[in-house]
Amino acid sequence: MQIIITGGAGFLGQRLAKALLTSTLEFDELTLVDIVLPVNPIGDSRVSCYQSDLSEPDAAKKLITPETGIVFHLAAVVSSHAEKDFDLGWKVNLDTTRHLLEACRHQKPGIRFVFASSFAVYGGTLPAVVDDKMAVTPHSSYGVQKAIGELLVNDYTRKNMVDGRVLRLPTICVRPGRPNLAASSFVSSIIREPVNGEKAVCPVAPELPVLLSSPDTIIANILKGGTLDASVFGEWRTVNMPGICVTVQEMLDALERICGKETRDLVEFRPDPAIRVLVNSWPGAEDNTRALQLGFTVDTDFDQFITQYIAQHKA
Amino acid sequence: MQIIITGGAGFLGQRLAKALLTSTLEFDELTLVDIVLPVNPIGDSRVSCYQSDLSEPDAAKKLITPETGIVFHLAAVVSSHAEKDFDLGWKVNLDTTRHLLEACRHQKPGIRFVFASSFAVYGGTLPAVVDDKMAVTPHSSYGVQKAIGELLVNDYTRKNMVDGRVLRLPTICVRPGRPNLAASSFVSSIIREPVNGEKAVCPVAPELPVLLSSPDTIIANILKGGTLDASVFGEWRTVNMPGICVTVQEMLDALERICGKETRDLVEFRPDPAIRVLVNSWPGAEDNTRALQLGFTVDTDFDQFITQYIAQHKA
């Protein structure tokens, strides 16, 4: 059995690959594919790495084989990038998903297809707490593209062309590495940079609530999404992944508690209207009930996010 | 100013054309386009008719001009047809909408784009009454394709590429002519055929509630959707068109009241599981509040549907 991870060179793709390779799940081959050549994260002989632009019509056909058992489709153009480059966003975030679903359908019906969606599907005027019975009215092209992907995966699943699972991811914190073009990039920056002794800019107000998952928790949940029995999902395959709700102020308080005032003082507030518009339209809190009933997990408090990052990434 | 109607050869397209040509709205040209050549409904010199397959990549580019002011996008592959021919459904119901939006965006930003969506976007386990704040979980490919079109039109609108308006249409009753491949085709058949002295088959149970609009009302509402000021829609352009909720039994009671028992007895119940699955997943009643506030109208009782058909179509 072959497992495929799209976006396999990315942070989540590499972490998911490691988690799969060290899990008890049996498989023969793990294929990492991305627009840049992924690396084999732990030198395991089951891994093969490919550079491919999956938004091109025929690329997915070459990737999916009769041996494919699970596709984890993580590849995407992130929020601010899709907002700036409208055409690229549609090409990568919609067309790639369609090409992959078509390739699965024609290669072997019933391939497990795990689609990483996002809470960016929510937008506009929202209640204090969102759940997965609410209409999605995304206020970003990225959110619209993810919402469309959710619908596609559900329809291909209903027609038994794939065995789809749609996981709506909250913002991941703390992402290692450098800031990216996601509007939520600051959520990691305001912890990561100070912990590493660098200055960081916070483009939103301290009272903004954000909905977060730590990398360890989201990787466990993505893995769970790929291994749960199809029957547990019921008639709709889209599930809001559990997150915890904290304000930016609470994040900085935790940073000061764990790393001291000098570290916290490396964060400077400098409002950015473009970021604010995108981020303000996202939900600050969610009802985790359904996801927890299905067996997904949630972080307990924000201090853990910082200690997890320090333990895994600080030299 | 040019107005375009896609699906211009269809029942709604022809009715909308007549309504536009006899309205006080000022325009220079009305272009009817369809996969079959439309006719000029009342011989008005402002009308031009084209046969074109808008699902082909370049067809929309040739249609939209710098003079285009409003596009009424009614063309679609209907529900049971899209369910049977999966590829055709996506090609016509998704790709055409995308091509038209792209052509509008590049020809002249801000063209008014009226998209005919459908209550088929609802599906699965539904509350007794639906509203436009509810998540859509369509249980048909047609419903999924319409839900995706809604998202596309809203995003192109948010980016000021078009001035979109999404109207979710209830089932139209009584459609003249012959049965079509819509799962809801029986809703018109069980009135139209008996009124014309022919037998009809009802594939669903008499207690099934259906959500209906008469042709006169829906045409007035589509016209309203194309002429309302953009500001009234607020932050999301999708509106459930008002409908009335009646059961199949109530429809047949009205038929007997107006046309007599012999006419009503021309309807025979013969359950069709495929139709039942599709139709049972659609809502039976809706909250009309928002649409009525925006100025859309609703029928008063089902008897009117029958008398409207008799007045307009019975020889």
Side-chain angles (χ1 to χ4, degrees), chain B residues 89-106:
Chain B
W90 287 99
K91 189 165 186 279
V92 173
N93 294 346
L94 172 54
D95 295 337
T96 299
T97 307
R98 254 180 117 180
H99 295 325
L100 285 168
L101 289 168
E102 277 293 293
C104 288
R105 165 194 178 194
H106 290 293

Side-chain angles (χ1 to χ4, degrees), chain A residues 241-294:
Chain A
M241 290 295 95
I244 68 166
C245 173
V246 290
T247 64
V248 167
Q249 185 64 55
E250 288 166 340
M251 293 172 67
L252 296 178
D253 290 347
L255 181 63
E256 183 163 333
R257 203 155 48 235
I258 295 167
C259 301
K261 186 169 186 311
E262 260 179 47
T263 301
R264 183 255 165 268
D265 285 347
L266 290 167
V267 179
E268 177 197 346
F269 283 88
R270 201 187 304 154
D272 179 329
I275 297 285
R276 196 189 55 212
V277 166
L278 281 180
V279 174
N280 273 357
S281 76
W282 297 348
E286 62 163 316
D287 180 346
N288 288 326
T289 312
R290 179 163 170 243
L292 296 179
Q293 279 170 346
L294 291 178

Side-chain angles (χ1 to χ4, degrees), chain B residues 257-272:
Chain B
R257 202 156 48 237
I258 295 167
C259 300
K261 186 170 184 306
E262 260 178 47
T263 301
R264 183 255 167 267
D265 285 348
L266 290 166
V267 179
E268 177 197 348
F269 283 89
R270 201 187 303 155
D272 179 328

Side-chain angles (χ1 to χ4, degrees), chain A residues 117-234:
Chain A
S117 184
S118 164
F119 273 86
V121 296
Y122 294 103
T125 308
L126 292 174
V129 178
V130 303
D131 64 33
D132 40 17
K133 299 276 183 199
M134 270 187 56
V136 299
T137 55
H139 278 45
S140 66
S141 295
Y142 174 76
V144 167
Q145 290 146 10
K146 288 295 186 185
I148 291 176
E150 295 184 351
L151 288 161
L152 278 163
V153 173
N154 273 284
D155 204 47
Y156 276 73
T157 299
R158 190 184 58 82
K159 300 285 267 186
N160 296 314
M161 293 167 174
V162 299
D163 171 6
R165 291 98 194 279
V166 176
L167 313 179
R168 276 191 196 139
L169 272 51
T171 301
I172 312 301
C173 178
V174 181
R175 283 179 178 269
R178 304 304 307 165
N180 68 12
L181 285 176
S184 58
S185 184
F186 75 89
V187 174
S188 287
S189 278
I190 62 171
I191 302 299
R192 182 184 59 224
E193 270 67 294
V195 164
N196 292 315
E198 294 173 30
K199 287 186 178 180
V201 170
C202 183
V204 299
E207 54 273 14
L208 182 83
V210 285
L211 190 54
L212 303 181
S213 180
S214 73
D216 282 1
T217 298
I218 206 64
I219 291 299
N221 284 337
I222 294 173
L223 203 53
K224 173 72 80 177
T227 49
L228 271 176
D229 193 77
S231 62
V232 304
F233 287 91

Side-chain angles (χ1 to χ4, degrees), chain B residues 89-209:
Chain B
W90 287 99
K91 189 165 186 279
V92 173
N93 294 346
L94 172 54
D95 295 337
T96 299
T97 307
R98 254 180 117 180
H99 295 325
L100 285 168
L101 289 168
E102 277 293 293
C104 288
R105 165 194 178 194
H106 290 293
Q107 189 60 261
K108 190 183 72 180
I111 291 174
R112 212 164 267 191
F113 193 92
V114 182
F115 176 60
S117 185
S118 164
F119 273 85
V121 297
Y122 293 104
T125 309
L126 293 173
V129 178
V130 303
D131 64 33
D132 40 17
K133 299 274 183 199
M134 271 188 55
V136 299
T137 56
H139 277 48
S140 66
S141 295
Y142 175 77
V144 167
Q145 290 145 9
K146 288 294 186 187
I148 290 175
E150 295 183 351
L151 288 160
L152 278 162
V153 173
N154 272 283
D155 204 48
Y156 276 73
T157 299
R158 189 184 58 83
K159 298 286 268 186
N160 297 315
M161 293 168 174
V162 299
D163 172 5
R165 291 98 194 279
V166 176
L167 313 179
R168 277 193 195 139
L169 273 50
T171 300
I172 312 301
C173 179
V174 180
R175 284 180 177 268
R178 304 306 305 166
N180 67 10
L181 285 176
S184 58
S185 184
F186 75 90
V187 174
S188 287
S189 277
I190 62 171
I191 303 299
R192 182 185 60 223
E193 271 67 294
V195 164
N196 291 314
E198 293 173 31
K199 287 185 178 179
V201 170
C202 182
V204 299
E207 53 274 16
L208 182 84

